[in-house]
């Protein structure tokens, strides 16, 4: 990994869940509170701020100008932002996003620029719009320092993308201990692919949308018994900090107290690996986390090949398991709303999936459960 990446604080400030003055208005960012958060973060050694063209309906980038870029010298921070080309109407609009982002933030260049959520059919839009060549051209002009992409797809997709685009400087991946061996998210396998290509990683969702901070008691009690003074968040973040090849671990912080806690944890532990005693507690907590009945889906995807409705069966099975692990149906319901593109209720009970399933899962029954729980 490049030395300039390796020697920086790995706690990153995610700007997707900023404090609001009106909870019903994503643009009503509380700038004064955000200034306090930025000050606490930088005073604690943090430098990496992650936003996107679409966060807070476009207001996140402008808020960073008020709270960060107009108040600190340019060498005091690094900024990452993103272009969601697959959701835009045409190539010109997609390419105009970069300059709009720079104008919103009041800066001349962005340190990290990401093609946002590539993978699957979305990649075809980035290809069609010529976005890969565009970001390289903007890097040559000095408007981008490092080019990369974010994705929510599997290890095979990541391998194909990094093979096709060997000149990217970094990738952003969903990595956490809950998804580490998940057959759909494949956090561990994703990290291995990135390391194989020698491409540094920015980690998103280290606390799985907050679920690893609000653990079921059967899991939380293991951590509390082992280290009563440590926050549950510290275990999740430290797991990510200590992975090889990591630039930053993003925390979607929404209050000054969250910033203070994460900064304090990083100062205390940094990238120090778990001790033998801590590793034993961590392993016991993982065992407790998985000590619930789950659907034995391995994401072989045989079930989807002949599904006439295109139901996202493996994804839905994984979400049923996520509910079992976290005991939080409402959280999973939110995930279901965007992960199950063809929902469970579209199943016509043809049975083709069950005929193909090596694990002999009662898929149609499980889809009924998913429809009841999440639709």
């Amino acid at each position: 990994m490049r030395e300039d990446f390796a020697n920086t604080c790995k706690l990153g400030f995610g700007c997707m869940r900023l404090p609001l003055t009106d909870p019903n208005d994503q643009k009503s960012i509380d700038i004064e509170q955000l200034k306090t958060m930025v000050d606490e973060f930088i005073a604690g050694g943090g430098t990496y701020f992650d936003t996107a063209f679409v966060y807070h309906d476009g207001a996140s980038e402008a808020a960073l100008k008020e709270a960060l870029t107009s108040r600190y010298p340019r060498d005091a921070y690094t900024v990452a932002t993103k272009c969601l080309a697959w959701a835009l109407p045409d190539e010109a609009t997609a390419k105009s996003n970069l300059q709009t982002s720079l104008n919103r933030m009041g800066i001349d260049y962005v340190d990290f620029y990401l093609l946002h959520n590539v993978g699957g059919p979305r990649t075809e839009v980035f290809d069609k719009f010529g976005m890969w060549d565009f970001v390289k051209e903007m890097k040559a002009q000095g408007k981008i320092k490092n080019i990369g992409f974010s994705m929510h797809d599997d290890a095979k997709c990541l391998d194909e993308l990094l093979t096709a685009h060997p000149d990217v400087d970094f990738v952003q991946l969903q990595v956490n201990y809950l998804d580490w061996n998940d057959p759909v998210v494949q956090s561990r396998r994703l990290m291995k692919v990135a390391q194989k290509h020698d491409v540094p990683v920015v980690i998103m969702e280290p606390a799985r949308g907050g679920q690893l901070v609000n653990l079921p008691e059967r899991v939380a009690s293991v951590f509390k018994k082992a280290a009563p003074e440590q926050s549950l968040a510290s275990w999740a973040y430290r797991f990510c900090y200590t992975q090889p090849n990591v630039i930053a671990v993003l925390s979607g912080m929404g209050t000054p107290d969250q910033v203070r806690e994460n900064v304090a944890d990083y100062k205390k532990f940094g990238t120090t690996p778990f001790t033998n005693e801590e590793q034993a507690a961590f392993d016991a907590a993982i065992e407790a986390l998985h000590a619930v009945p789950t659907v034995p889906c391995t994401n072989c995807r045989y079930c989807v090949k002949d599904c006439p409705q295109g139901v996202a069966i493996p994804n839905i099975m994984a979400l049923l398991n996520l509910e079992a692990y976290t005991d939080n149906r409402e959280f999973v319901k939110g995930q279901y709303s965007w992960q199950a593109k063809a929902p469970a209720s579209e199943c016509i009970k043809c049975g083709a999936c069950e005929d193909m399933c090596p694990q002999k899962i009662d898929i149609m029954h499980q889809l009924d459960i998913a429809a009841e729980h999440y639709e």
Side-chain angles (χ1 to χ4, degrees):
M1 185 165 63
R2 282 170 31 189
E3 187 175 349
D4 54 333
F5 289 164
N7 295 332
T8 57
C9 171
K10 287 184 168 51
L11 172 61
F13 193 132
C15 299
M16 188 172 70
R17 303 182 181 98
L18 299 177
L20 303 175
T21 58
D22 178 356
N24 297 314
D25 180 5
Q26 281 295 304
K27 291 188 175 184
S28 67
I29 296 170
D30 187 331
I31 297 298
E32 293 309 310
Q33 188 171 184
L34 179 58
K35 287 179 180 178
T36 299
M37 294 166 66
V38 166
D39 294 344
E40 293 276 0
F41 183 72
I42 289 183
T47 60
Y48 192 103
F49 292 83
D50 172 87
T51 185
F53 189 91
V54 296
Y55 287 175
H56 285 275
D57 296 335
S60 177
E61 291 178 326
L64 280 183
K65 180 178 181 179
E66 292 190 66
L68 174 67
T69 67
S70 65
R71 300 173 63 238
Y72 285 90
R74 188 61 181 89
D75 61 358
Y77 59 85
T78 55
V79 174
T81 194
K82 313 177 188 74
C83 173
L84 197 70
W86 57 267
L88 298 174
D90 52 50
E91 178 179 335
T93 304
K95 290 180 177 178
S96 71
N97 276 192
L98 172 60
Q99 190 58 52
T100 301
S101 293
L102 293 173
N103 293 343
R104 285 175 177 173
M105 292 185 286
I107 53 179
D108 296 324
Y109 66 89
V110 63
D111 302 274
F112 297 87
Y113 197 66
L114 299 94
L115 302 183
H116 194 177
N117 196 12
V118 301
R122 297 178 300 279
T123 303
E124 296 173 10
V125 181
F126 289 99
D127 295 343
K128 177 183 175 182
F129 289 172
M131 296 304 295
W132 303 96
D133 288 336
F134 171 74
V135 293
K136 286 189 285 187
E137 180 185 343
M138 293 300 100
K139 181 179 178 180
Q141 292 183 19
K143 291 189 175 183
I144 299 171
K145 296 298 183 184
N146 298 282
I147 58 175
F149 60 86
S150 64
M151 59 166 279
H152 291 275
D153 214 316
D154 61 22
K156 180 175 180 292
C157 175
L158 178 62
D159 196 28
E160 291 171 349
L161 284 165
L162 291 178
T163 300
H165 304 286
D167 42 10
V168 300
D169 298 301
F170 70 106
V171 293
Q172 186 163 308
L173 305 172
Q174 179 172 317
V175 177
N176 55 72
Y177 67 75
L178 177 60
D179 292 324
W180 191 240
N181 290 307
D182 183 88
V184 174
V185 181
Q186 301 181 358
S187 288
R188 179 179 60 82
R189 292 174 61 188
L190 289 169
M191 291 296 286
K192 285 187 176 295
V193 169
Q195 195 165 15
K196 181 184 82 169
H197 287 270
D198 195 27
V199 176
V201 175
V202 173
I203 289 179
M204 56 181 162
E205 297 290 355
R208 197 52 159 95
Q211 291 309 294
L212 301 183
V213 180
N214 299 291
L215 289 163
E217 186 57 28
R218 72 178 188 278
V219 185
S221 61
V222 179
F223 285 131
K224 291 173 183 175
K225 182 179 180 181
E229 75 288 355
Q230 290 186 31
S231 68
L232 296 177
S234 70
W235 294 90
Y237 286 99
R238 196 167 162 198
F239 172 82
C240 294
Y241 292 143
T242 55
Q243 298 302 321
N245 209 34
V246 171
I247 301 173
V249 178
L250 302 178
S251 176
M253 297 175 283
T255 68
D257 283 344
Q258 289 176 357
V259 176
R260 294 183 190 108
E261 180 179 295
N262 286 341
V263 166
D265 285 341
Y266 189 82
K267 283 184 172 181
K268 183 175 182 180
F269 301 112
T271 57
T272 305
F274 294 138
T275 65
N276 291 338
E277 293 78 10
E278 288 171 329
Q279 187 65 53
F282 185 81
D283 293 343
I286 298 297
E287 185 177 350
L289 183 65
H290 290 89
V292 290
T294 56
V295 182
C297 176
T298 63
N299 195 35
C300 70
R301 307 195 72 81
Y302 293 157
C303 58
V304 301
K305 292 179 180 178
D306 294 318
C307 176
Q309 301 298 97
V311 176
I313 297 170
N315 301 63
I316 294 170
M317 299 300 108
L319 289 168
L320 287 168
N321 288 342
L322 181 61
E323 181 183 348
Y325 295 143
T326 63
D327 196 26
N328 189 333
R329 184 173 300 175
E330 285 305 307
F331 169 72
V332 178
K333 190 173 182 178
Q335 300 285 299
Y336 181 89
S337 66
W338 65 273
Q339 290 190 30
K341 300 301 183 183
S345 59
E346 293 191 9
C347 173
I348 59 173
K349 303 291 191 295
C350 69
C353 55
E354 294 190 4
D355 290 340
M356 294 296 293
C357 180
Q359 307 302 321
K360 305 303 179 186
I361 298 169
D362 53 345
I363 295 174
M364 291 183 287
H365 174 63
Q366 297 299 332
L367 290 176
D368 285 340
I369 294 173
E372 178 185 348
H373 284 197
Y374 313 133
E375 294 182 29

